[in-house]
Every structure is written in C-alpha cells, then in structure tokens.
Amino acid sequence: MAGEFVLLSLGPSPFGMRVNIALAEKGIEYEQKDENLFDKSPLLLQMNPIHKKVPVLIHNGTPICESLIIVQYLDEISKDKSPLLPSDPYQRAHARFWGDFVDKKVHPNGRRSWAAKGEEQESGKKELLEVLKVIEEELGDKPYFNGETFGFVDLSFVPFTAWFYTYEKVGNFSMEAEFPKLVAWGKRCMERESVSKSLPDPHMIYDYAMDRRKIFLGE
Ligand code: GS8
C-alpha cells in the first residue's frame, strides 16, 4: 500500500495501542510521534482541531481521528491482509457494538477507579467490575471474541489488559481471581506479535497513572 503514515500518539494510551496493533496486523511501516498532552504540539492541534486528542493517523498528510475509526480505515484500505472486521453485515455490526461498549464503559470507569478518590473512585471500581463481567460473558469459552480468529473486538479491548495491573492494584482485587477467562484471553492475544510489541509494560502504565493521579487531584 502506497503512502506515508505518521501516528501521533502516546505510549500508555489504550486508544493509541489499538492503532499500533492495526498497523502491525496490516504490515504498514509508520513513524510515531509521541505527544505531551500538557503541551500539545501545533501538529496535533492542526490535525485534530475538534477533539485535540491522540491518536491521529496522518496518511499522506491527511488526518484520520478517533481510534476505532482509524482501525476501520486501515481495515478498508488493506482488506486482504489480516481482515479485522467480519465480512457478514450482522457480525460487523455486532463487532462495532462491542468496540463502542469498550469505549463507553471500560475507559471512563477504569479511569474513575484510578484517577478519582472517595465515593467517585468506589463507584468507578464497582462499575468497572460489572462491565468486565459483561465482557467476560460475551467472550464466553471462545478463544477470541469473534470465535477462532483475532479481530476487531479483541483489538479494541486488548490494550486495556495493559491497564489491568493498575486497576487491580488501585482497586485492591485480583483480575486473575475475578476474571480468569479475560486474563487467559489477554495472554492468548499477547502471543501475537502485533499485540506484544504494541502493549507497554503494565508497571510503566501504573507509574504513569499514579503520576497523572497526583496532577489531577493536586496531591
Ligand atoms: C479517545 C482518545 C483519548 O481519550 C479515541 O481515539 O478513540 N475516543 C478517542 N485520548 C486521550 C489520551 S488516552 O487517554 C487524549 O488525547 N487526551 C487529551 C485531552 O483530553 O486533552
């Protein structure tokens, strides 16, 4: 596939990791520029003036924003190599539903569980545990969310496994004890090179989260 790809991202961002995984699945070479979110670059502000968030994929100078939209774009321009969305329209809709569920439920509650305090933090943890239960039920006994092969829902959710350590340490629970199927699925996904090379060390994420917590709470 012709063209030049530049990814504006940030190591611990689960949204950025999705794009790293998709680019690796598609075998696309790219340059990554990591942003400082407290001092956003003029390039980020120019390429994503609406949300001013990472990730942004710049393809031949043109920006594509929002991680799941970027992943679908990559899947469309590189259909034959490692297809991510199923070809059946219903299955595609189903996969998109779960990608959207992860965005609406995992990220905000996960974030409240480590970045808030008191009741707000407790309710973030409680809802996160409920959401993870729902996702584990959706996985069931299948190796991957879509069945036998790694796909769009796996890619949407697997970056959050790098955050599991932060969730369990801050929330004082064990992911392995509460969600053994999700933990086993995460390890299965890590056997793919596209995933293992895109996910940072969970301890690094924990340190990052604790630094951010201090800034958010003024501690
Ligand atoms: C979310 C991106 C996002 O929150 C997506 O791409 O899927 N729906 C979007 N990015 C964060 C970093 S990861 O927590 C971000 O760029 N935040 C900057 C800000 O809020 O100013």
Side-chain angles (χ1 to χ4, degrees):
M1 185 192 329
E4 189 197 48
F5 293 86
V6 176
L7 175 62
L8 309 184
S9 192
L10 176 73
S13 164
F15 306 107
M17 290 175 220
R18 288 171 170 170
V19 183
N20 294 122
I21 298 169
L23 287 162
E25 286 289 334
K26 301 295 183 183
I28 296 173
E29 300 284 324
Y30 61 101
E31 182 195 349
Q32 177 152 338
K33 293 185 180 172
D34 278 347
E35 284 287 327
N36 171 1
L37 297 181
F38 294 108
D39 184 17
K40 295 173 184 170
S41 73
L43 184 61
L44 175 60
L45 300 177
Q46 181 198 342
M47 292 290 157
N48 191 357
I50 308 287
H51 292 305
K52 305 177 179 67
K53 291 186 178 189
V54 293
V56 179
L57 182 68
I58 307 171
H59 183 193
N60 292 327
T62 305
I64 304 111
C65 302
E66 290 292 309
S67 60
L68 292 184
I69 293 174
I70 301 171
V71 170
Q72 293 179 64
Y73 174 79
L74 290 170
D75 207 29
E76 283 177 18
I77 62 170
S78 173
K79 277 197 169 63
D80 297 335
K81 189 151 184 352
S82 300
L84 295 167
L85 277 156
S87 52
D88 173 74
Y90 175 73
Q91 292 301 331
R92 284 169 85 84
H94 189 75
R96 288 182 174 126
F97 172 89
W98 283 103
D100 184 58
F101 182 83
V102 170
D103 278 358
K104 289 189 174 127
K105 297 289 186 181
V106 177
H107 182 64
N109 289 309
R111 188 181 159 118
R112 285 200 297 147
S113 82
W114 61 262
K117 56 183 173 187
E119 268 179 37
E120 175 72 5
Q121 182 171 26
E122 269 312 303
S123 97
K125 174 187 161 185
K126 184 170 168 285
E127 249 192 89
L128 176 67
L129 293 174
E130 287 166 10
V131 165
L132 292 175
K133 194 60 168 168
V134 171
I135 295 179
E136 190 171 66
E137 278 165 16
E138 167 63 15
L139 176 66
D141 293 318
K142 304 188 292 293
Y144 298 103
F145 282 89
N146 192 39
E148 295 302 315
T149 51
F150 179 87
F152 183 77
V153 182
D154 305 292
L155 185 151
S156 304
F157 183 49
V158 78
F160 292 90
T161 63
W163 281 82
F164 282 0
Y165 175 70
T166 299
Y167 299 154
E168 65 183 354
K169 192 152 178 181
V170 173
N172 196 24
F173 66 94
S174 157
M175 281 296 303
E176 179 79 56
E178 300 286 336
F179 307 106
K181 288 182 188 172
L182 284 186
V183 170
W185 160 85
K187 288 184 184 149
R188 197 171 305 124
C189 291
M190 279 295 256
E191 288 166 15
R192 291 181 85 78
E193 200 195 340
S194 65
V195 177
S196 61
K197 74 177 190 188
S198 302
L199 267 49
D201 177 0
H203 294 91
M204 181 279 267
I205 294 207
Y206 176 76
D207 293 343
Y208 167 83
M210 292 307 100
D211 283 350
R212 302 274 296 189
R213 180 184 162 85
K214 278 187 203 135
I215 296 168
F216 294 150
L217 298 179
E219 286 175 344

